[in-house]
Amino acid sequence: MASMSRDSLLNSIKSLHIAAEKLPDDVFADHHRRHGLQRQLTRLKNDISTPFERVFGEICFQPHQSVATKIALEAKWFEVLADGQPKTAQEIARATNGEAELIARIMMVLTATDVVSEKGPQTYAATPTTQLLLDPGWANGLRHFFDHGGQSLINLPNYLKRNGYRVPQDVKAGPFADAWGGKTPWALFESDPTQAEVFNLSGRNGELDRYLSRQARLCESLEKSDDAVLLVDIGGGSGHVLLDFVKDPAHRIGRRVLQDLPAALGDVDALKEHNIEAMEYDFFTPQPIKGAKAYYLRAILHDWPDLACREILTTTAAAMRKGYFKLLIDELVLPDSDIPPKGAFFDLSMMAIQTGAERTSRQWHDLLKSARLRVVRIWSSDDGLESVIEAELAT
């Protein structure tokens, strides 16, 4: 049986108080300290919970929150709450042609986990979390991890047991294919445009803008030629990163090229309006654009095991010239220890969905070195995970 003395509890609370005093008036202005405080709070909550409470109050029931959130999202209950005014279950039911009893039961989970705020008996209001899920990008992120990742994650224990508890290395025989009747994620997206759209519209925003705000040399010394290429976005999907990129007048020099498989490229005509070239390309084949100022890989390499990543990096490096070109890799960079939940959960998701992995700084250095590249610098965001790895040819 777990135990904790009152003095130990009080000392932990004092440590929390000291950590809180170091935060600025706007606690969200210092992500590093705020995340450290979150970890302390989580550990304190775990310390004052019994093992039974942890296993049967949390671990067994973690999927329930995402299930309830997905139900509310698809039933459009969050949209009813979008105006910020409290609504009863009956009001939500009338607005969505639903059933008040079901709404109240699902909302029990969402209010218990603070996804939705409870204002009275069967009366609910939006929270910042609810409002975030009204954004199509974040809503599709939830759909991607739930629809594509959920089935693979549930299957993962049996898959690993049958395969001798080894790290999956082959996407064609990985956990996703095992759970989806032999289909890889890419085969699924190619065969089902709706699923492909969910995937393409999901995901994080990326760190390119933040990198460029601190490192402006990308646009400097671009070769004076009508054919000079400023940036190639490899595997860039529908092109939302490049569309944001060209909003800055300073980035409207040279050519900007978006590369991806045909099913992922999206509205090519809309890209042309912004002078973005769309090119069908498989990043396992030789890079057709030689001599770009920068090549950009956003959330690509975490989809693949090391051997496949080495192949992608090698084909890109073959198009680069030492001293002029940069490779920009927009990915999570995990610490070597004390990895926060976000990084750990992403890593397990990558294993289950795409046979990929999130990597530590040391692993990124080793991977790039194996492709004749070297890390110049890792530019990390305030949370210490979201990063742009700036690399160049090693020889």
Side-chain angles (χ1 to χ4, degrees):
M1 174 64 69
S3 64
M4 186 179 194
S5 69
R6 184 179 62 183
D7 286 344
S8 294
L9 175 60
L10 289 172
N11 286 333
S12 295
I13 293 173
K14 288 177 183 176
S15 296
L16 287 169
H17 183 78
I18 292 170
E21 284 186 326
K22 294 179 180 178
L23 288 166
D25 290 338
D26 178 1
V27 297
F28 287 94
D30 189 333
H31 295 287
H32 181 74
R33 291 186 185 277
R34 180 171 62 84
H35 289 154
L37 183 60
Q38 286 177 338
R39 297 299 300 278
Q40 285 183 260
L41 285 165
T42 299
R43 285 173 176 147
L44 177 58
K45 180 182 75 68
N46 293 337
D47 286 344
I48 61 173
S49 300
T50 67
F52 181 88
E53 289 170 335
R54 292 225 59 213
V55 172
F56 295 102
E58 298 176 26
I59 295 172
C60 284
F61 297 111
Q62 278 192 344
H64 294 54
Q65 181 178 0
S66 57
V67 167
T69 304
K70 180 68 158 47
I71 292 169
L73 175 68
E74 303 300 4
K76 302 187 185 305
W77 301 344
F78 293 154
E79 293 181 22
V80 179
L81 300 176
D83 63 4
Q85 299 303 311
K87 302 288 192 306
T88 65
Q90 288 286 356
E91 290 173 320
I92 297 172
R94 284 195 295 270
T96 60
N97 194 29
E99 182 185 41
E101 180 183 353
L102 176 66
I103 292 168
R105 292 181 68 177
I106 300 301
M107 285 296 190
M108 279 197 297
V109 178
L110 298 179
T111 56
T113 53
D114 296 321
V115 175
V116 173
S117 175
E118 188 172 30
K119 297 301 183 183
Q122 295 192 12
T123 304
Y124 315 102
T127 64
T129 302
T130 318
Q131 297 289 358
L132 181 71
L133 288 168
L134 291 170
D135 179 282
W138 296 113
N140 280 306
L142 174 66
R143 291 185 179 104
H144 169 54
F145 280 106
F146 191 92
D147 295 344
H148 305 145
Q151 195 166 325
S152 301
L153 279 165
I154 290 170
N155 182 54
L156 189 60
N158 288 332
Y159 172 87
L160 292 175
K161 183 177 181 179
R162 283 188 277 108
N163 287 275
Y165 294 104
R166 299 290 188 271
V167 174
Q169 297 291 340
D170 182 2
V171 68
K172 293 180 180 179
F176 187 97
D178 190 65
W180 285 81
K183 282 188 175 181
T184 67
W186 321 116
L188 174 68
F189 302 151
E190 186 174 356
S191 66
D192 189 336
T194 302
Q195 300 283 4
E197 183 178 18
V198 167
F199 176 73
N200 288 332
L201 294 177
S202 68
R204 57 196 181 86
N205 293 330
E207 290 294 310
L208 183 61
D209 284 345
R210 189 191 296 265
Y211 164 80
L212 292 171
S213 70
R214 295 179 292 181
Q215 177 74 344
R217 291 182 298 163
L218 178 63
C219 298
E220 296 176 4
S221 67
L222 181 69
E223 291 181 341
K224 305 300 181 183
S225 166
D226 293 339
D227 199 43
V229 179
L230 177 63
L231 183 65
V232 180
D233 186 356
I234 303 170
S238 58
H240 52 284
V241 170
L242 275 179
L243 288 169
D244 284 341
F245 179 75
V246 297
K247 288 177 182 178
D248 186 339
H251 300 157
R252 297 173 192 163
I253 61 173
R255 295 165 56 199
R256 282 86 59 192
V257 180
L258 172 68
Q259 296 178 330
D260 214 320
L261 298 175
L265 282 174
D267 189 347
V268 173
D269 290 335
L271 296 169
K272 287 181 180 177
E273 292 177 7
H274 296 276
N275 294 317
I276 296 171
E277 301 174 37
M279 176 184 293
E280 295 181 7
Y281 174 60
D282 177 347
F283 45 57
F284 288 109
T285 63
Q287 173 58 251
I289 300 293
K290 311 293 184 183
K293 180 67 175 175
Y295 298 88
Y296 178 64
L297 289 162
R298 173 184 169 273
I300 298 295
L301 299 179
H302 76 164
D303 289 345
W304 301 93
D306 283 357
L307 186 62
C309 288
R310 194 171 299 117
E311 188 175 350
I312 296 168
L313 291 168
T314 299
T315 62
T316 305
M320 298 169 62
R321 189 175 76 227
K322 187 172 176 59
Y324 175 65
F325 308 123
K326 297 290 184 186
L327 174 62
L328 305 177
I329 301 171
D330 194 334
E331 293 274 6
L332 298 188
V333 177
L334 305 181
D336 290 323
S337 61
D338 198 22
I339 295 171
K342 174 183 173 180
F345 294 160
F346 259 98
D347 181 66
L348 192 62
S349 296
M350 292 305 102
M351 180 192 296
I353 301 174
Q354 285 131 333
T355 323
E358 304 297 348
R359 295 173 171 89
T360 65
S361 174
R362 174 45 50 200
Q363 288 171 324
W364 280 116
H365 277 81
D366 291 343
L367 179 60
L368 287 161
K369 183 178 179 180
S370 72
R372 295 179 51 249
L373 293 159
R374 75 174 189 90
V375 175
V376 177
R377 182 169 177 179
I378 297 177
W379 303 79
S380 296
S381 65
D382 294 329
D383 73 359
L385 293 177
E386 309 276 356
S387 304
V388 171
I389 304 165
E390 181 183 337
E392 64 183 11
L393 289 174
T395 55

